[in-house]
C-alpha cells in the first residue's frame, strides 16, 4: 500500500482527532444531567435528539469549516443541501452516534468523523467519550486504537470463518423477528449487544466480535463512513446486505440496503447465506 497516501491526510487526521475529543468532552458535560429530549422527523424515520447532539455538531462543523473551508460537510444535526454534491472532498459527521445510549445512560455512544474523497472514505475517527478510547484510520495507513496511558496499538480483525464459532455484534434495541431468523439460520451462538454503529465496529477491530448484520434501511452515510474505514483498514469488510459497496456523498443519505460488517474472512459466505433469507423477507436491492 502507498504509505505516502497515509501521510497525505495527516493534518486532516490531527484536526479530526482534536475535534472528536473536544466534542466528547462537551457531550460528557451533559451526560446524566437533566436532558431536553426532542423528536426529529425525517421522511421515513423519527429519532431523538438532545442538546448534547447539537452542541457537539456545532463544535465539529465550525471547526471543520474553519480549517477546511473549501470542503463539503454532511453532518447529522445540520441542514443538508446539494452544495456538498459538487465537492470532491466531503466530511461525514455523526456528532453523537448512539443518542439512545446517551439518553439511557448506558455509555453506548460515540463521536464519528469521516472524510470522503471522490466518494471513498479516506480518513476516519471514532471516539468513545466515556471510556476515552479512540479508533483512527487513514486509507493505506491501517487502523490504530488509542487508550489512556497506553501507546497506540494497531488493530487487526479475527480470522474466524465458521459461523458457530463467530460472535455477533448486535444492537441493544428490541430485535425484530426477521433478525431472530438470521441469528438462528447462521447458528451464531454468542453475541454482544451494544448501541452505536461505531462501537459495534470497534468490537470487530478488537476481535471481541466477528460479524455485524443490520437489516434496517435507516442507517445514514454519517453512521457508517468513519466506522467503515476503521474496519477495512483493520482487514475487515463492510458492504450492504447484497454484498455491494456503500455509496457516499450521494443525494440520498440513507443506506437503504442495510449493512454487513465482518472480519472479511467470512464475508462472502455471509452474503451468500443471506440470499435466501432476503428473498424470504421480500427484500430487494434498491
Amino acid at each position: 500500500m502507498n504509505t505516502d497516501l497515509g501521510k497525505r491526510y495527516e493534518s486532516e487526521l490531527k484536526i479530526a482527532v482534536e475535534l472528536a475529543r473536544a466534542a466528547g468532552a462537551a457531550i460528557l458535560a451533559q451526560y446524566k444531567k437533566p436532558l431536553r429530549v426532542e423528536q426529529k422527523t425525517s421522511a421515513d424515520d423519527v429519532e431523538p435528539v438532545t442538546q448534547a447532539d447539537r452542541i457537539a455538531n456545532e463544535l465539529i462543523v465550525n471547526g471543520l469549516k474553519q480549517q477546511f473551508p473549501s470542503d463539503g460537510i454532511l453532518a447529522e444535526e445540520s441542514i443538508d443541501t446539494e452544495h456538498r454534491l459538487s465537492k470532491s472532498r466531503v466530511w461525514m459527521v455523526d456528532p453523537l452516534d448512539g443518542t439512545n445510549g446517551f439518553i439511557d445512560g448506558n455509555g453506548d455512544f460515540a463521536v464519528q468523523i469521516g472524510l470522503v474523497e471522490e466518494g471513498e472514505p479516506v480518513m476516519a475517527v471514532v471516539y468513545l467519550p466515556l471510556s476515552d478510547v479512540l479508533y483512527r484510520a487513514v486509507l493505506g495507513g491501517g487502523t490504530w486504537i488509542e487508550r489512556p496511558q497506553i501507546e497506540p496499538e494497531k488493530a487487526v480483525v479475527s480470522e474466524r470463518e465458521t459461523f458457530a464459532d463467530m460472535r455477533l455484534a448486535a444492537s441493544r434495541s428490541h430485535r425484530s423477528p426477521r433478525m431472530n431468523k438470521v441469528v438462528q439460520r447462521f447458528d451464531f451462538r454468542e453475541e454482544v449487544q451494544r448501541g452505536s454503529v461505531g462501537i459495534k465496529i470497534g468490537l470487530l477491530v478488537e476481535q471481541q466480535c466477528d460479524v455485524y448484520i443490520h437489516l434496517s434501511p435507516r442507517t445514514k452515510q454519517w453512521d457508517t463512513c468513519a466506522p467503515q474505514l476503521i474496519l477495512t483498514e483493520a482487514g475487515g469488510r463492510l458492504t450492504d446486505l447484497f454484498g455491494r459497496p456503500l455509496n457516499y456523498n450521494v443525494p440520498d443519505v440513507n443506506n437503504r440496503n442495510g449493512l454487513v460488517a465482518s472480519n472479511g474472512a467470512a464475508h462472502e459466505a455471509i452474503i451468500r447465506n443471506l440470499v435466501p433469507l432476503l428473498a424470504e423477507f421480500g427484500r430487494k436491492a434498491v
Side-chain angles (χ1 to χ4, degrees):
M1 246 173 211
N2 186 349
T3 54
D4 291 338
L5 192 59
K7 291 179 181 177
R8 192 174 141 202
Y9 299 103
E10 276 182 355
S11 63
E12 287 86 348
L13 179 63
K14 180 176 180 290
I15 296 300
V17 167
E18 290 172 358
L19 289 173
R21 289 189 179 279
I27 288 166
L28 288 181
Q30 304 288 324
Y31 190 48
K32 294 197 172 178
K33 291 185 177 178
L35 288 173
R36 185 177 71 255
V37 181
E38 300 172 27
Q39 300 296 322
K40 58 179 182 180
T41 304
S42 61
D44 52 5
D45 206 5
V46 178
E47 295 178 302
V49 62
T50 70
Q51 61 264 41
D53 294 78
R54 295 195 169 111
I55 290 168
N57 192 88
E58 185 176 8
L59 189 158
I60 296 168
V61 169
N62 287 346
L64 292 175
K65 283 180 176 177
Q66 184 177 359
Q67 294 291 331
F68 309 103
S70 62
D71 291 350
I73 299 175
L74 174 64
E76 181 170 13
E77 307 308 334
S78 299
I79 295 170
D80 183 29
T81 70
E82 293 184 355
H83 178 68
R84 64 178 170 83
L85 299 176
S86 65
K87 301 289 186 178
S88 62
R89 289 178 25 131
V90 179
W91 294 85
M92 306 265 161
V93 178
D94 193 338
L96 206 172
D97 184 48
T99 300
N100 283 319
F102 177 80
I103 294 167
D104 294 344
N106 64 30
D108 278 4
F109 53 89
V111 179
Q112 302 185 169
I113 304 174
L115 175 63
V116 166
E117 189 161 5
E118 303 296 352
E120 180 181 17
V122 294
M123 191 284 315
V125 172
V126 173
Y127 178 53
L128 285 50
L130 206 59
S131 60
D132 196 19
V133 172
L134 184 141
Y135 305 102
R136 56 175 168 83
V138 170
L139 184 66
T143 292
W144 296 83
I145 308 171
E146 295 185 7
R147 306 180 199 277
Q149 282 98 40
I150 299 176
E151 283 294 307
E153 59 179 304
K154 194 167 187 179
V156 181
V157 294
S158 74
E159 297 180 356
R160 285 183 278 273
E161 296 185 54
T162 305
F163 296 147
D165 296 334
M166 297 175 76
R167 186 177 287 165
L168 177 72
S171 297
R172 279 187 188 270
S173 57
H174 177 70
R175 176 174 290 164
S176 69
R178 288 181 174 183
M179 193 61 204
N180 280 331
K181 279 194 173 183
V182 169
V183 174
Q184 290 163 8
R185 193 75 59 91
F186 277 82
D187 195 27
F188 295 129
R189 295 173 192 176
E190 289 187 68
E191 66 180 73
V192 178
Q193 294 187 351
R194 299 294 298 272
S196 164
V197 175
I199 288 178
K200 289 191 278 284
I201 294 302
L203 294 174
L204 268 67
V205 303
E206 297 203 45
Q207 297 191 20
Q208 294 178 31
C209 289
D210 312 283
V211 59
Y212 166 46
I213 299 171
H214 189 80
L215 297 176
S216 166
R218 291 196 297 270
T219 65
K220 313 289 197 298
Q221 292 177 44
W222 53 70
D223 291 309
T224 55
C225 177
Q228 176 173 328
L229 191 67
I230 297 293
L231 180 60
T232 57
E233 282 295 316
R237 284 187 65 189
L238 194 152
T239 67
D240 71 12
L241 295 167
F242 302 90
R244 307 188 316 185
L246 301 188
N247 297 314
Y248 291 102
N249 199 30
V250 291
D252 185 359
V253 300
N254 291 276
N255 299 312
R256 296 197 181 274
N257 291 321
L259 307 173
V260 176
S262 81
N263 59 8
H267 203 88
E268 293 299 334
I270 293 166
I271 297 298
R272 203 162 48 243
N273 280 269
L274 277 173
V275 170
L277 285 165
L278 295 173
E280 183 182 328
F281 301 156
R283 286 291 290 272
K284 296 179 179 178
V286 294

